[in-house]
Amino acid sequence: MKNRDWKEWAKRAGMRAVKTVAQTFIATIGSAAVLGAVNWPMVLSASALAGILSLATSVAGLPELPETKAQETEGE
């Protein structure tokens, strides 16, 4: 298992998720406005789902964080 700085990971993954939610929110409002009326429950649920998926994707790794190297010797 990889050694991680979980506090730093949570900060970076959270920031990425917030940006994703905002982008989805704006894009969904824009798309709905072109079609006529904005369906607010759909906008909010799509934005929330985008945030959850962003966090789930971040579990695999964040390119913003440097990879930590495992200890090469067992005695340390």
Side-chain angles (χ1 to χ4, degrees):
M1 180 132 190
K2 294 180 182 178
N3 292 329
R4 289 192 176 157
D5 179 1
W6 290 104
K7 186 176 179 180
E8 185 66 20
W9 179 90
K11 180 179 172 183
R12 302 271 180 117
M15 233 9 226
R16 180 180 270 211
V18 167
K19 290 178 184 179
T20 301
V21 168
Q23 291 169 346
T24 304
F25 186 82
I26 292 169
T28 308
I29 289 174
S31 300
V34 168
L35 298 174
V38 176
N39 182 350
W40 290 106
M42 190 262 312
V43 169
L44 296 174
S45 67
S47 299
L49 179 60
I52 292 167
L53 292 174
S54 176
L55 288 173
T57 302
S58 295
V59 170
L62 290 170
E64 296 93 348
L65 289 176
E67 291 293 322
T68 57
K69 294 182 181 179
Q71 295 289 334
E72 292 185 17
T73 59
E74 293 178 18
E76 293 181 12

